[in-house]
Amino acid sequence: MWKYFKENIMKIIDQKVPTKMTTTKFTHPWINTNIKRLIRRKNKAYKKSRKTKKKRDRDRYKYLQQQTQMEIRKAHKEYINDIISLSYTEKPKRFWSFLKSKGQDSIGVAPLKNKEGFLKSDSQSKANILNEQFCSVFTKEDGSTIPDKGPSNINTMNDITVTENGVFKLLKNLNTNKAAGPDEIPTKILQITAAELSPILTRIFQFSLDTGEVPQDWRDANIVPLYKKGILT
């Protein structure tokens, strides 16, 4: 059921969701309209001073240059104060984007040594080394040694019933700023089509609970290694 649902969703996305190529021009977020106007005036005054070589035009250019620099510094200070004054829980995306912009080189995971002691730098080998490390810290308990305690004196839990209204609310509350999971279905699509998808997903969720089976996509997870305090965690 999940495989059929996913295949059709991805087919609809490929056929119906519009896409376009976009280009972005880098600009500092604190550069407002007033500063852009000053920059244009400064550039214009610079060209004129180079052309006429008159002292009056050079003085005007220097004055505009100082004014532009002062406004940029003022706007930058206000921008930083605004970010710092707000808790990262209020505007986390803006807060972490700012911190990321202040980072150094982003080269990903450094070369790693495998069990044989050889240094590996290609992405596939590094992913396998990290996967082996993650797997080594987990233990699988032997269920055959669990003693039989006899009948339980605790009341049996009632069957869980998944409702369309509940699934609809969950879909509408999805954070569209987060990337898609291993199933590659964009959260934006799930949120926009919540009314149409909630009956279908309700049936899939309920069938999963009733049969005790979970699709492989729901078991998978994207693991990102984070470098902290001298160790790779």
Side-chain angles (χ1 to χ4, degrees):
M1 291 172 66
W2 170 254
K3 183 179 179 180
Y4 180 80
F5 169 81
K6 179 182 175 181
E7 288 177 351
N8 282 274
I9 284 291
M10 300 307 294
K11 187 184 298 182
I12 292 172
I13 292 174
D14 292 337
Q15 294 177 354
K16 303 297 183 181
V17 176
T19 59
K20 66 177 180 179
M21 298 295 293
T22 60
T23 57
T24 57
K25 184 178 181 181
F26 175 78
T27 180
H28 294 296
W30 56 84
I31 302 297
N32 52 38
T33 304
N34 181 48
I35 294 177
K36 290 179 181 178
R37 188 181 299 111
L38 281 173
I39 292 174
R40 288 194 297 266
R41 291 174 60 189
K42 182 197 70 171
N43 293 337
K44 188 176 179 180
Y46 173 75
K47 292 179 181 178
K48 186 176 181 180
S49 66
R50 287 290 300 270
K51 184 177 180 180
T52 63
K53 299 185 182 301
K54 293 181 180 180
K55 183 179 183 302
R56 181 184 62 184
D57 294 333
R58 287 198 302 270
D59 292 342
R60 173 175 168 76
Y61 163 67
K62 290 181 180 179
Y63 170 77
L64 289 173
Q65 185 183 38
Q66 292 175 356
Q67 288 295 112
T68 303
Q69 192 175 53
M70 288 175 56
E71 289 296 324
I72 290 176
R73 289 177 178 175
K74 179 181 177 182
H76 179 259
K77 185 177 180 180
E78 292 176 353
Y79 174 78
I80 298 299
N81 289 336
D82 184 44
I83 290 180
I84 296 176
S85 63
L86 292 175
S87 171
Y88 71 89
T89 57
E90 297 178 21
K91 292 187 177 180
K93 186 177 181 181
R94 184 183 180 190
F95 179 82
W96 291 111
S97 296
F98 173 74
L99 290 185
K100 186 177 180 181
S101 68
K102 295 302 178 184
Q104 301 299 319
D105 296 336
S106 179
I107 59 174
V109 179
L112 301 173
K113 286 185 179 181
N114 58 12
K115 292 181 178 180
E116 290 75 26
F118 295 104
L119 203 62
K120 298 293 182 179
S121 59
D122 61 287
S123 300
Q124 184 65 40
S125 298
K126 289 190 290 186
N128 291 333
I129 293 172
L130 290 173
N131 183 60
E132 291 175 358
Q133 171 62 26
F134 295 145
C135 292
S136 66
V137 299
F138 291 96
T139 57
K140 188 174 182 180
E141 300 293 340
D142 183 9
S144 61
T145 61
I146 299 177
D148 184 6
K149 297 294 185 177
S152 175
N153 57 356
I154 300 175
N155 295 331
T156 303
M157 180 179 176
N158 295 329
D159 293 337
I160 298 175
T161 302
V162 182
T163 63
E164 289 186 17
N165 186 44
V167 174
F168 174 78
K169 288 183 178 179
L170 291 174
L171 293 177
K172 293 298 290 185
N173 291 329
L174 287 175
N175 188 348
T176 56
N177 292 323
K178 292 186 177 181
D183 57 15
E184 299 180 348
I185 301 177
T187 53
K188 186 68 174 179
I189 297 297
L190 295 174
Q191 186 190 68
I192 293 175
T193 59
E196 293 78 13
L197 296 183
S198 53
I200 305 170
L201 290 175
T202 299
R203 185 175 180 184
I204 295 176
F205 295 157
Q206 188 65 60
F207 194 75
S208 175
L209 286 171
D210 294 343
T211 60
E213 298 183 10
V214 180
Q216 186 61 43
D217 281 340
W218 300 0
R219 306 180 189 181
D220 296 337
N222 295 327
I223 300 177
V224 180
L226 299 177
Y227 186 74
K228 294 182 178 180
K229 296 183 180 179
I231 59 173
L232 194 64
T233 59

